[in-house]
Amino acid sequence: MGCDGGTIPKRHELVKGPRKAEKVDKNAELVARWYYCALSQEKLCRPIVACELGRLYNKDAVIEFLLDKSADKTPMEAASHIKSIKNVTELNLADNPAWSGDKESIKGDKYDDIQSARFICPVVGLEMNGRHRFCFLRNCGCVFSERALKEIKSEVCHKCGVPFQEEDVIVLNGNKEDVEVLKKRMEDRRLKSKLEKKSKKCKSAESASQQDSAAGPSKAKSGKDCIKSSSGEKRQIIFTKSSADNGNSSVPGKVNKAASTTKRSIADSEEKSEAYKSIFTSHSSAKRSKEECSNWVTHTAYCF
């Protein structure tokens, strides 16, 4: 009921003003960033990867996101800048010996300590729970706290010894300013890689054209020689034909040989014909002499 004289309403109960902005629980935000995958919203488990903007993912979730290219897939803001598996780096994390895992909170009768984290900085020993700023090196994937990199300055990784530069240091789960700086570095890096690929393609094309131009003149010369040789053979054949028709004895080469062979064949044929004639005449004369002898004998016998 109310307003019957027994209660006095206040102004905020009668007049509705603008709503106050809802405040996000910082602890819940830290847990969501540092303990769960930014893509699948599942708990982080090894292998863990990080993008060039410093967000944490499960590697399986990134691979599934890249393989699923269906049109019905909703665009994910957390992974829109990931075009291939090369855009993420697998992290080399150091385990926290004081972390007991999720076994104690299975029944739900114990308090979950948010301060305790699964991973720590291998140099300083700070826990990676979101209370401290952490970074990773893009070359090797080793993770350190920002305090360790500032206090122990070196150009070589503290864990594996790989050299790195300032541009290779990426802040994990940084604020808006950090994300803008990392985004600008990412765009510059990708543009540089594209230009390098184009320059390599141009150099390969130029080298191929130079090789073709070097091989071209030799091919052209060989072709001219073939044409000359073929034309010479044609001229020689035509010359031999004309000389054979004219019957000149002063033709060099094959024409002289052909003329000599024809003369020899004619002489041989004449000799053979003369031999045949002589044999025929001798045979016929012998027959005649025999017939005359036989006629003379018969004539003499008849007379006697």
Side-chain angles (χ1 to χ4, degrees):
M1 296 297 289
C3 296
D4 55 356
T7 58
I8 300 172
K10 294 182 180 178
R11 185 179 182 278
H12 70 275
E13 294 177 356
L14 300 174
V15 180
K16 294 182 178 180
R19 291 184 178 180
K20 295 182 180 179
E22 295 180 357
K23 293 183 179 180
V24 180
D25 188 5
K26 292 183 178 180
N27 294 329
E29 187 179 2
L30 291 176
V31 169
R33 281 187 176 186
W34 292 89
Y35 291 89
Y36 291 87
C37 173
L39 186 59
S40 63
Q41 303 302 323
E42 295 179 356
K43 279 192 175 183
L44 291 172
C45 58
R46 288 181 172 173
I48 300 171
V49 296
C51 66
E52 294 175 322
L53 300 181
R55 294 168 183 165
L56 299 173
Y57 309 91
N58 288 328
K59 192 173 183 178
D60 298 337
V62 175
I63 292 170
E64 290 177 1
F65 170 76
L66 294 173
L67 292 175
D68 186 10
K69 296 182 180 180
S70 59
D72 299 335
K73 183 178 68 173
T74 57
M76 301 291 293
E77 295 181 359
S80 60
H81 59 285
I82 300 175
K83 304 299 180 183
S84 66
I85 198 67
K86 294 181 180 179
N87 299 138
V88 295
T89 305
E90 187 171 350
L91 300 180
N92 185 11
L93 297 162
D95 293 327
N96 184 8
W99 186 71
S100 58
D102 299 331
K103 295 180 181 180
E104 296 181 357
S105 61
I106 290 174
K107 297 180 181 179
D109 56 350
K110 290 187 178 181
Y111 173 73
D112 293 334
D113 189 6
I114 302 173
Q115 299 294 328
S116 64
R118 183 177 177 181
F119 308 107
I120 61 171
C121 173
V123 178
V124 182
L126 295 175
E127 294 184 351
M128 198 174 74
N129 53 12
R131 303 288 179 182
H132 309 282
R133 288 169 63 88
F134 272 73
C135 307
F136 78 94
L137 305 180
R138 197 173 59 87
N139 295 338
C140 58
C142 296
V143 180
F144 304 98
S145 63
E146 192 176 31
R147 185 186 298 179
L149 294 176
K150 286 182 178 179
E151 291 180 356
I152 307 172
K153 293 182 179 180
S154 68
E155 297 179 355
V156 178
C157 177
H158 301 300
K159 193 172 183 180
C160 61
V162 175
F164 67 92
Q165 297 178 358
E166 187 178 356
E167 296 179 356
D168 298 328
V169 179
I170 297 175
V171 180
L172 289 173
N173 293 325
N175 52 23
K176 292 182 179 179
E177 295 178 357
D178 296 332
V179 172
E180 289 178 358
V181 173
L182 294 174
K183 192 173 183 180
K184 188 176 180 181
R185 287 182 184 177
M186 179 184 70
E187 292 174 354
D188 295 340
R189 198 181 297 115
R190 291 184 180 181
L191 181 62
K192 187 178 179 181
S193 65
K194 286 182 181 179
L195 294 174
E196 288 178 356
K197 287 181 181 179
K198 287 183 179 180
S199 64
K200 286 180 181 179
K201 287 182 180 179
C202 293
K203 287 180 181 179
S204 62
E206 288 178 359
S207 62
S209 62
Q210 288 177 359
Q211 290 177 0
D212 293 337
S213 62
S218 61
K219 290 181 180 179
K221 288 181 181 179
S222 62
K224 288 180 180 179
D225 295 338
C226 294
I227 291 166
K228 286 181 181 178
S229 62
S230 61
S231 62
E233 288 176 358
K234 287 181 180 178
R235 289 177 184 174
Q236 188 176 1
I237 291 165
I238 292 165
F239 182 69
T240 54
K241 284 183 178 179
S242 62
S243 63
D245 293 335
N246 293 330
N248 295 325
S249 61
S250 61
V251 179
K254 295 181 179 179
V255 180
N256 291 330
K257 291 180 180 180
S260 61
T261 52
T262 52
K263 287 181 180 180
R264 287 177 183 175
S265 62
I266 292 165
D268 293 336
S269 62
E270 288 178 356
E271 289 177 358
K272 287 179 181 179
S273 63
E274 288 178 358
Y276 285 131
K277 285 180 182 180
S278 63
I279 292 166
F280 180 74
T281 51
S282 62
H283 185 69
S284 61
S285 61
K287 281 184 177 182
R288 286 177 184 177
S289 61
K290 285 180 180 180
E291 287 177 358
E292 288 177 356
C293 290
S294 62
N295 290 330
W296 183 75
V297 170
T298 56
H299 180 70
T300 51
Y302 179 76
C303 291
F304 286 107

